[in-house]
């Protein structure tokens, strides 16, 4: 009998607790591979690091950093780095585990990893941010590398931070190693199409799901929570398809416009102010009212644990597209299923980002770069093919898309584990 982990204490709706319940739900569909299922319930490696830096005022500050490699049976670790004051070991473990599932679901040759620093980056100057990023990279440098574990941007990180990470790692190994991170600036080996790839994946899977439930995107009403990289890119693509973006919520406020926002006016406002709050082309509304908005499509693209059981009962959407990682807690999943609301789960819905990260990694190794049209065509094909396979499993067993995605992904991971065997 395998004992539970001693270093985390999950609750049913906490990130790791949510992930464990998702694994438990899929276990009956794993057949003989179920004997390996405990492999999925513990990370391969978890590194906690201290990050001391000198602040601009001459004092020394310490930050807590993590890098977790959940499973690497199918290839090197792959997963983002987030800078957020609420980052914890448990959260990073869950995010790394969801990366394992996500990579296997779209059949990329990666395992799952994730990293984070417990910090509010808005309180640091650019120079302080650079010093923290470089020190963190040096501390986790013992376990990352182009063939070991490849970080990428996540919440509050961006191409500039990836450039600092790549440069720091390269200086430490004595050679330029562009493949150590993805999501880099274009002229440092970044890929065209990477910035909007996650949002594009949300749109592509949403378009396919809408077809399945006979929902016409032209005129469909969409609500978006989180208007960063993912939410804004998805909103733009849905608007181009004729949908109306009627409600948006982010850290700066919640706004509503029943006729649909004019994104050509909203986007410059967001770039100038850092959020949607205060935009004159919509009415402000209470943050909790957002979940009562009458819409066809809800896109949670912020942080995990946003759709609780209570909010799931009130949600008026026909389709939920999970742009964020882990936005729906398990009890809410059951309520949405009972109500007939279709949920396209994070582990396939937002896999566009890691798919184009894979393209970037491949391009870095070959030093041969593709056009944005080529990248978007390949991304669309991978996402559509993966979703078809998952939908087939869901129909075959009469299970939700989330459990079906886990079934496809866990089978691939555990098959690799079984075939590799245990060493020594």
């Amino acid at each position: 009998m395998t004992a539970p982990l001693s270093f985390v204490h999950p609750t049913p709706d906490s990130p790791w607790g949510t992930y464990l319940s998702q694994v438990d739900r899929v276990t009956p569909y794993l057949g003989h591979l179920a004997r390996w299922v405990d492999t999925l319930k513990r990370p391969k490696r978890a590194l906690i690091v201290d990050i001391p830096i000198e602040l601009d005022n001459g004092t020394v500050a310490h930050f807590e950093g993590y890098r977790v490699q959940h499973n690497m049976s199918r290839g090197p670790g792959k997963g983002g780095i987030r800078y957020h004051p609420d980052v914890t070991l448990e959260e990073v473990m869950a995010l790394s585990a969801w990366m394992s599932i996500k990579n296997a679901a779209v059949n990329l040759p990666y395992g799952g990893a994730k990293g984070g620093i417990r910090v509010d980056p808005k309180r640091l100057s650019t120079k302080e941010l650079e010093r923290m990023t470089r020190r963190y990279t040096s501390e986790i440098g013992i376990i990352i590398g182009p063939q070991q574990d490849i970080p990428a941007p996540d919440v509050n990180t961006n191409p500039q931070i990836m450039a600092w990470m790549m440069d720091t790692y390269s200086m430490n190994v004595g050679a330029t190693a562009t493949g150590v991170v993805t999501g880099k600036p274009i002229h440092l080996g970044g890929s065209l199409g990477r910035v909007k790839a996650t949002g594009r994946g949300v749109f592509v899977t949403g378009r396919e799901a809408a077809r399945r439930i006979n929902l016409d995107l032209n005129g469909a009403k969409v609500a978006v929570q989180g208007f960063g990289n993912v939410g804004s890119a998805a909103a733009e693509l849905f608007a181009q398809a004729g949908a109306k973006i009627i409600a948006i919520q982010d850290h700066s406020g919640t706004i509503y416009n029943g006729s649909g926002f004019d994104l050509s006016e909203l986007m410059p406002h967001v770039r100038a102010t850092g959020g949607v709050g205060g935009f004159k082309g919509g009415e402000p509304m209470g943050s909790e009212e957002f979940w009562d908005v009458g819409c066809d499509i809800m896109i949670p693209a912020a942080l995990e644990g946003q759709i609780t059981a209570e909010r799931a009962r009130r949600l008026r959407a026909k389709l939920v597209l999970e742009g964020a990682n882990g936005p729906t807690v398990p009890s809410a999943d059951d309520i949405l299923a009972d109500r007939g609301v279709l949920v396209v789960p994070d582990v396939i819905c937002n896999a566009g980002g890691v798919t184009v990260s894979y393209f970037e990694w491949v391009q870095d190794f070959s030093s041969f770069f593709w056009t944005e049209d080529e990248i978007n065509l390949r991304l669309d094909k991978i996402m559509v093919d993966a979703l078809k396979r998952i939908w087939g499993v869901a129909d075959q067993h009469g299970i939700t898309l989330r459990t079906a995605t886990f079934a496809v992904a866990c089978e691939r991971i555990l098959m690799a584990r079984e075939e590799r065997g245990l060493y020594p």
Side-chain angles (χ1 to χ4, degrees), residues 380-420:
D380 290 10
K381 179 168 175 27
I382 284 175
M383 297 291 285
V384 171
D385 288 353
L387 191 58
K388 277 183 185 165
R389 167 85 194 272
I390 288 160
W391 229 304
V393 172
D395 290 344
Q396 177 189 344
H397 295 292
I399 52 180
T400 65
L401 279 185
R402 190 184 313 280
T403 303
T405 308
F406 269 72
V408 169
C410 293
E411 182 180 335
R412 286 173 176 160
I413 295 166
L414 298 181
M415 186 70 76
R417 173 73 279 164
E418 183 174 71
E419 289 173 346
R420 286 180 69 154

Side-chain angles (χ1 to χ4, degrees), residues 254-302:
T254 308
I255 55 174
Y256 176 82
N257 183 332
S259 305
F261 290 105
D262 183 342
L263 295 187
S264 66
E265 291 181 3
L266 176 60
M267 297 305 287
H269 171 85
V270 171
R271 282 191 289 271
T273 66
V276 300
F279 178 59
K280 297 289 188 280
E283 307 161 23
M285 66 189 302
S287 58
E288 205 50 45
E289 290 177 76
F290 174 80
W291 302 100
D292 298 314
V293 166
C295 61
D296 299 301
I297 300 172
M298 167 65 74
I299 305 175

Side-chain angles (χ1 to χ4, degrees), residues 8 15 61 83 103 134 152 173-174 180 184 204 225 325 374 408:
V8 285
Y83 291 175
N103 287 320
R134 289 184 181 277
V173 299
V180 69
K184 302 179 295 296
V204 170
Q225 189 206 29
N325 293 308
E374 287 176 307
V408 169

Side-chain angles (χ1 to χ4, degrees), residues 63-79:
F63 300 98
E64 200 173 307
Y66 307 97
R67 186 67 182 176
V68 176
Q69 295 165 343
H70 172 256
N71 186 287
M72 294 156 94
S73 297
R74 303 182 70 252
K78 186 84 193 79

Side-chain angles (χ1 to χ4, degrees), residues 179-213:
V180 69
V181 293
T182 57
K184 302 179 295 296
I186 298 295
H187 51 275
L188 291 179
S191 176
L192 296 169
R194 173 63 186 89
V195 172
K196 295 192 173 181
T198 310
R200 185 176 182 85
V202 171
F203 170 72
V204 170
T205 52
R207 181 190 66 203
E208 299 303 307
R211 282 180 189 154
R212 289 281 298 223
I213 62 171

Side-chain angles (χ1 to χ4, degrees), residues 215-263:
L215 172 62
D216 187 355
L217 288 185
N218 192 18
K221 293 181 176 179
V222 181
V224 183
Q225 189 206 29
F227 210 65
N229 196 7
V230 180
S232 62
E236 286 184 305
L237 288 164
F238 275 105
Q240 286 168 24
K244 294 178 183 174
I245 315 301
I246 61 162
I248 304 172
Q249 179 177 92
D250 70 3
H251 63 92
S252 67
T254 308
I255 55 174
Y256 176 82
N257 183 332
S259 305
F261 290 105
D262 183 342
L263 295 187

